[in-house]
Amino acid sequence: MAAAPATPLPAPGPLVRLRALEPDDLEFLYALENDAAVWAVSDTLAPVSRYALREYLAHATADFHEARQLRLVVEPGAGGPAVGVVDLFGFEPLHQRAGVGIIILATARRRGYARHTLALLVAHARDVLRLHQLYCTVAAANRASLRLFQAAGFRRVGTRRAWLRGPAPGQWSDAVEFQLVLGSTG
């Protein structure tokens, strides 16, 4: 039985709930991590083995402040199988900031899951983890993600030219940087 996470999880919303990783998530994560269509946004170059994922799941309950990352599974609020994951990564304790990444399965997109997930995560980062700011990098061509983060209050703070490798050799694309300052100082 996995240990309880060190920090409380975000309260469920009407459309989604976020939960800690469980050993039973192995096959879901295996399919997600090995979907070559999302490798560009997760900086992945090769398939991930079930063994590596089992090891990851065995240590996934580490405290956010120790591990400096947090991955939560996205499930429909009414119950049902997982539809995605959301990550806080690159936590910097001194500056109280972390990066945000979110992947919703292609079959579950355009239903509001990402928007509600991001709202829950932002509230959790601000109210429970007491972070000062969140940031993310989005491919300039990913219109859905650009709209998602802008609608959640993230501000566009720059563009990195030819930052992301494209699918064809020699092909590069721009990345848009976003930032959200949490609390009353934002």
Side-chain angles (χ1 to χ4, degrees):
M1 185 168 167
T7 56
L9 296 174
L15 190 61
V16 298
R17 75 180 195 104
L18 305 181
R19 65 164 174 80
L21 290 165
E22 297 286 347
D24 291 347
D25 291 321
L26 177 65
E27 291 305 318
F28 168 70
L29 288 178
Y30 183 77
L32 188 70
E33 295 291 343
N34 289 298
D35 179 357
V38 299
W39 282 2
V41 298
S42 62
D43 295 334
T44 302
L45 290 173
V48 179
S49 71
R50 283 184 177 86
Y51 174 80
L53 289 170
R54 265 190 220 97
E55 290 295 305
Y56 171 72
L57 286 169
H59 300 95
T61 59
D63 180 73
F64 171 71
H65 293 90
E66 288 178 36
R68 295 189 179 196
Q69 64 181 8
L70 174 67
R71 172 167 273 190
L72 299 171
V73 176
V74 180
E75 291 182 337
V83 296
V85 293
V86 64
D87 297 298
L88 288 176
F89 61 89
F91 170 57
E92 290 291 336
L94 176 62
H95 303 294
Q96 294 295 292
R97 67 178 171 236
V100 176
I102 183 169
I103 297 177
I104 300 297
L105 296 172
T107 56
R109 291 182 189 148
R110 304 189 60 79
R111 296 183 194 169
Y113 292 136
R115 181 170 44 89
H116 286 269
T117 295
L118 192 53
L120 289 173
L121 186 72
V122 166
H124 184 69
R126 180 188 59 240
D127 301 338
V128 177
L129 300 175
R130 307 244 188 240
L131 296 184
H132 172 64
Q133 62 183 279
L134 299 173
Y135 62 90
C136 68
T137 302
V138 177
N142 188 339
R143 302 285 180 227
S145 286
L146 294 172
R147 284 191 305 270
L148 170 70
F149 284 98
Q150 287 174 322
F154 282 70
R155 287 183 156 162
R156 184 180 181 143
V157 294
T159 301
R160 295 183 188 266
R161 302 289 177 212
W163 192 252
L164 302 171
R165 188 169 79 172
Q171 185 180 46
W172 296 90
S173 62
D174 295 349
V176 177
E177 298 293 333
F178 284 98
Q179 175 184 21
L180 176 66
V181 177
L182 303 168
S184 60
T185 61

